[in-house]
Amino acid sequence: MNFTKKDYTFEDLIDIMKVLRGENGCPWDKEQTHQSIKYCLLEEACEAMEALDEKQPDNFADELGDVLLQVVFHSEMAEEEGNFSIQNVLNHICKKLISRHTHIFGNDKTNNTTEALDLWEENKKAEKGLKTQTELMRDVCSYLPALMRAQKVQKKAAQVGFDWDDFTGAFCKLTEEVNELKAAAAEQNAEHMEEELGDLLFSAVNVSRFLEVNPEEALKKATDKFLARFEKMERAAITSGRDLNGMTLAEMDELWNQAKDGRI
């Protein structure tokens, strides 16, 4: 294989991976297992999302390559184990796209995006043999970020009418869970506090659904906002010759409020 090409193909990537995993390949690549690199899938996907939001097309392409590498890496290891190959991966996704788009590749008809999504879900349920709504809800991946998983489960519960009539009920439930968490905190029972905090977060996701706000995005932006204000607070402290470690909470709060109000 020519390793100095201007344009590489998907087959080139597969060949490179085989070389890296081969007898004279890279020691690190040869030592990896599905378990040792499984979180790389998540990390690379997140880095691709970050590049997308930062509107850096070339960086986005680069990060998508890293995601693709993970697919090829796992496929190569699976082929070595005699389990499946990259061809099986391609077969699965192509068959899935065809079988779930029966309004394109079959005889079904849809008139808009909503109907197309509903048909996708119906075809998915049929393929997986999901007969009850509980089975459909349990099919939501448990490895998803917790807020995202909660949102998806709640949406599926709402499909059969198990939902608040409007946002008022969701807000009241949120307040109820805050009070229950306060009571659990007063008891200082770790297990109970964890349970009530989970209920509070689940209720907050419910509110986000009614407000049509993505809870993952909302929390990400809140964290970014916190970091930006903290940076301003710390920079102001350093400029005045102080160190955060030597300041009182009241002093830091004053700088925080200045950062919040845009005074620093």
Side-chain angles (χ1 to χ4, degrees):
M1 168 185 174
N2 178 8
F3 294 106
T4 58
K5 298 168 68 173
K6 177 184 177 183
D7 293 313
Y8 295 89
T9 66
F10 183 63
E11 287 71 24
D12 289 332
L13 175 58
I14 296 172
D15 289 341
I16 290 171
M17 193 71 252
K18 288 184 180 296
V19 170
L20 292 174
R21 291 277 297 179
E23 183 178 352
N24 299 313
C26 171
W28 184 88
D29 289 284
K30 291 164 65 175
E31 290 176 358
Q32 300 315 302
T33 66
H34 292 297
Q35 288 296 320
S36 71
I37 66 169
K38 68 179 182 179
Y39 287 106
C40 293
L41 274 169
L42 178 61
E43 181 179 347
E44 299 299 356
C46 290
E47 290 180 359
M49 291 169 61
E50 183 177 40
L52 172 63
D53 285 347
E54 290 176 350
K55 295 181 172 56
Q56 299 178 20
D58 190 61
N59 192 26
F60 184 38
D62 181 46
E63 296 297 346
L64 284 177
D66 290 343
V67 174
L68 183 58
L69 169 62
Q70 296 306 307
V71 175
V72 172
F73 206 149
H74 281 282
S75 298
E76 174 60 25
M77 290 189 290
E79 185 171 12
E80 294 166 4
E81 298 161 353
N83 292 327
F84 63 83
S85 69
I86 190 66
Q87 185 60 59
N88 297 113
V89 175
L90 294 171
N91 289 345
H92 276 298
I93 188 57
C94 288
K95 289 178 180 177
K96 184 184 296 183
L97 288 172
I98 293 169
S99 66
R100 294 189 185 173
H101 287 90
T102 50
H103 55 301
I104 303 297
F105 303 107
N107 298 320
D108 290 319
K109 302 295 181 183
T110 60
N111 297 309
N112 51 52
T113 299
T114 300
E115 291 182 3
L117 288 174
D118 288 343
L119 182 61
W120 171 283
E121 287 296 327
E122 287 301 315
N123 289 332
K124 180 179 178 180
K125 285 170 62 177
E127 286 174 16
K128 293 192 171 187
L130 304 175
K131 302 189 185 315
T132 69
Q133 199 67 14
T134 300
E135 289 176 337
L136 192 64
M137 292 159 73
R138 288 193 181 280
D139 189 57
V140 175
C141 180
S142 63
Y143 273 60
L144 282 174
L147 294 178
M148 186 183 298
R149 183 186 178 210
Q151 185 182 40
K152 285 180 172 290
V153 167
Q154 290 173 6
K155 283 183 177 179
K156 292 186 184 303
Q159 288 173 351
V160 294
F162 191 70
D163 203 4
W164 302 105
D165 291 332
D166 55 43
F167 69 88
T168 304
F171 270 111
C172 288
K173 186 63 176 176
L174 184 63
T175 302
E176 177 186 323
E177 296 298 348
V178 169
N179 292 331
E180 291 183 3
L181 179 58
K182 288 180 180 178
E187 297 172 2
Q188 286 297 294
N189 182 305
E191 186 175 342
H192 192 196
M193 286 189 289
E194 180 184 57
E195 178 186 358
E196 294 301 341
L197 179 60
D199 290 344
L200 174 59
L201 293 172
F202 193 82
S203 293
V205 172
N206 232 338
V207 170
S208 77
R209 279 195 311 113
F210 280 95
L211 299 181
E212 297 184 354
V213 172
N214 185 313
E216 287 286 339
E217 285 292 326
L219 183 56
K220 177 185 179 299
K221 289 177 180 177
T223 303
D224 289 341
K225 181 172 63 177
F226 176 86
L227 286 170
R229 289 177 181 173
F230 190 94
E231 182 180 22
K232 290 180 180 179
M233 177 183 71
E234 186 171 37
R235 190 185 303 125
I238 293 172
T239 300
S240 64
R242 294 179 290 176
D243 186 284
L244 293 181
N245 286 320
M247 294 173 61
T248 66
L249 180 58
E251 290 173 328
M252 285 189 283
D253 273 341
E254 174 56 30
L255 289 180
W256 176 268
N257 289 328
Q258 291 179 32
K260 182 178 179 181
D261 297 338
R263 287 178 281 154
I264 59 174

